Amino acid sequence: SAGLTEEQKEFQKVAFDFAAKEMAPHMAEWDEKEIFPVETMRKAARLGFGGIYVKPDVGGSGLSRLDTSIIFEALSTGCTSTTAYMSIHNMCVWMIDTFGNEEQRHRFCPSLCSMEKFASYCLTEPGSGSDAASLLTSAQRKGDTYVLNGSKAFISGGGDTDVYVVMCRTGGPGPKGISCLVLEKGTPGLSFGKKEKKVGWNSQPTRAVIFEDCVVPVGSRLGAEGQGFSIAMKGLNGGRINIASCSLGAAHASVLLAQEHLTVRKQFGEPLANNQYLQFKLAEMATRLVAARLMVRNAARALQEGREDAAVLCSMAKLFATDECFAICNQALQMHGGYGYLKDYAVQQFMRDIRVHQILEGTNEVMRMIVARNLLQG
């Protein structure tokens, strides 16, 4: 909490308390039984965590990107997988709040901010992941409707959520031919693939989202035709901060678990905490965590202020934090020895749940491309 205002420290404490009481005791069960904890998330929404950086007139909390990062880091110490879904939900609500018209904002945002309804972000396709501008899902204009055909892959919440923010092609090839539509579950022609079996992130379902002659009113389009790719990328800048913040929470929890284990576990007649090699490793883990946290918070401030370097700082923060935090969780597991590989010990779940953070919201290879392109363009 160093450098935070009193108000930020207060809602950080609220988030930590919620994580400890409402999430951590159920984290292993949600993972093992693949439970999507709807009621727990609705409790979080009652604290204002369903639309953290959404405007208050439609039910949002109106907080800053830095505030959001602080909250997601704290919540993630209780269950990283659930918090990561909440971060995606928040990104979707923000996109509707920011790019929707007044009718759209008031139609969708209040029930999403309360988490009465849940949202999914639909960009990735079976043939376009990192190359998002080549997406093929098409929306043909017919009078005052679009007819949507195609499919999306790896959609968090897919099938269990109520609102789908979909990037689709309304024009020619490339990013300028992409628009953004908002669909509701139950729309004829909207269906879902099988629930994917994943290494981690098991408290949130992941499915393909399929469109077969799906008729959507033109009034469901966010922004202008051709603005979809820009909307998607602006959403992802915040999404990268959010997912990096979730990695911070997992690493934070893992450092504490390692610290406790080194204190209580004895080998060769003395606590592991007396081993200088392990002391140095723990020191490195804590140092990396603090460095990553500072980088994420710096990027969050830049995004909030609308600075020119915000996008590249978000990419740097996402790259650094997700790589470093995975290494921290992995080292914490190693410090637990054989116990770390048992599902009775939380450290393995933190490690599994944040591995995917190096892949989604733009792979870390794409983050390197963004940073390098920015440097080479001078």
Side-chain angles (χ1 to χ4, degrees):
S1 59
L4 302 185
T5 65
E6 288 308 311
E7 184 184 24
Q8 286 168 336
K9 288 176 186 175
E10 190 56 41
F11 54 64
Q12 182 187 53
K13 182 180 184 304
V14 169
F16 270 130
D17 287 348
F18 186 85
K21 292 172 185 169
E22 301 287 345
M23 299 172 84
H26 309 291
M27 181 177 99
E29 182 188 11
W30 294 343
D31 175 68
E32 184 183 353
K33 296 181 181 175
E34 299 184 3
I35 294 167
F36 192 42
V38 166
E39 290 309 318
T40 301
M41 290 190 285
R42 285 178 179 152
K43 282 186 188 176
R46 289 199 282 275
L47 298 173
F49 299 156
I52 302 172
Y53 49 108
V54 172
K55 297 183 195 72
D57 69 313
V58 287
S61 299
L63 297 180
S64 73
R65 299 301 186 127
L66 176 57
D67 301 337
T68 305
S69 174
I70 293 161
I71 289 166
F72 283 145
E73 177 179 354
L75 290 176
S76 199
T77 61
C79 180
T80 303
S81 167
T82 303
T83 307
Y85 168 74
M86 289 172 62
S87 83
I88 295 166
H89 172 89
N90 269 264
M91 179 178 73
C92 291
V93 192
W94 173 83
M95 291 165 80
I96 296 170
D97 180 40
T98 304
F99 299 102
N101 58 36
E102 285 305 299
E103 188 274 329
Q104 291 167 333
R105 292 179 66 243
H106 286 89
R107 174 160 45 119
F108 290 111
C109 292
S111 60
L112 291 171
C113 288
S114 68
M115 285 186 157
E116 176 194 335
K117 293 185 176 179
F118 295 90
S120 290
Y121 177 69
C122 303
L123 175 64
T124 299
E125 296 185 0
S128 66
S130 294
D131 184 14
S134 70
L135 65 83
L136 296 175
T137 295
S138 67
Q140 298 288 331
R141 178 82 179 255
K142 290 194 177 177
D144 58 358
T145 64
Y146 289 103
V147 180
L148 197 57
N149 281 285
S151 64
K152 299 291 179 179
F154 309 128
I155 304 306
S156 293
D160 282 44
T161 49
D162 309 283
V163 175
Y164 296 84
V165 180
V166 181
M167 304 304 153
C168 51
R169 190 163 299 286
T170 53
K176 291 183 179 175
I178 295 171
S179 298
C180 179
L181 300 179
V182 182
L183 277 71
E184 294 186 75
K185 191 176 183 179
T187 300
L190 173 63
S191 62
F192 307 96
K194 66 176 176 63
K195 187 175 171 184
E196 306 288 1
K197 302 294 287 183
K198 306 189 298 289
V199 171
W201 268 32
N202 289 318
S203 71
Q204 48 168 299
T206 300
R207 293 183 179 90
V209 177
I210 302 156
F211 313 101
E212 296 171 291
D213 292 331
C214 198
V215 178
V216 185
V218 168
S220 294
R221 188 187 67 224
L222 288 188
E225 270 202 11
Q227 198 184 349
F229 192 76
S230 170
I231 292 172
M233 293 304 107
K234 285 175 179 169
L236 282 177
N237 284 332
R240 286 162 186 164
I241 295 295
N242 293 348
I243 217 67
S245 303
C246 292
S247 289
L248 293 173
H252 179 123
S254 296
V255 169
L256 295 179
L257 289 170
Q259 178 186 347
E260 181 185 17
H261 186 76
L262 294 183
T263 305
V264 300
R265 173 79 167 145
K266 289 187 175 179
Q267 286 290 277
F268 306 107
E270 57 181 320
L272 289 177
N274 292 355
N275 182 298
Q276 192 178 56
Y277 174 81
L278 295 175
Q279 291 173 7
F280 284 5
K281 280 292 179 187
L282 190 66
E284 288 170 12
M285 290 157 67
T287 302
R288 287 170 160 188
L289 172 59
V290 172
R293 181 182 291 132
L294 292 172
M295 210 166 173
V296 171
R297 291 183 180 177
N298 179 55
R301 287 189 188 94
L303 188 61
Q304 185 66 36
E305 293 163 7
R307 282 168 34 192
E308 196 177 322
D309 59 352
V312 72
L313 288 174
C314 290
S315 297
M316 285 179 171
K318 193 268 183 183
L319 166 64
F320 187 79
T322 58
D323 277 355
E324 290 298 320
C325 290
F326 177 75
I328 290 167
C329 292
N330 198 37
Q331 181 61 52
L333 188 153
Q334 184 72 18
M335 286 175 164
H336 279 71
Y339 291 105
Y341 212 62
L342 301 180
K343 288 199 172 179
D344 298 331
Y345 287 75
V347 68
Q348 51 75 33
Q349 189 175 335
F350 286 117
M351 187 269 291
R352 285 187 293 110
D353 279 344
I354 70 162
R355 178 60 184 87
V356 74
H357 296 188
Q358 295 166 284
I359 298 170
L360 48 77
E361 308 286 20
T363 66
N364 284 4
E365 289 73 22
V366 168
M367 297 306 97
R368 290 175 172 87
M369 285 166 55
I370 292 169
V371 174
R373 190 182 303 135
N374 180 272
L375 290 167
L376 295 171
Q377 284 172 351

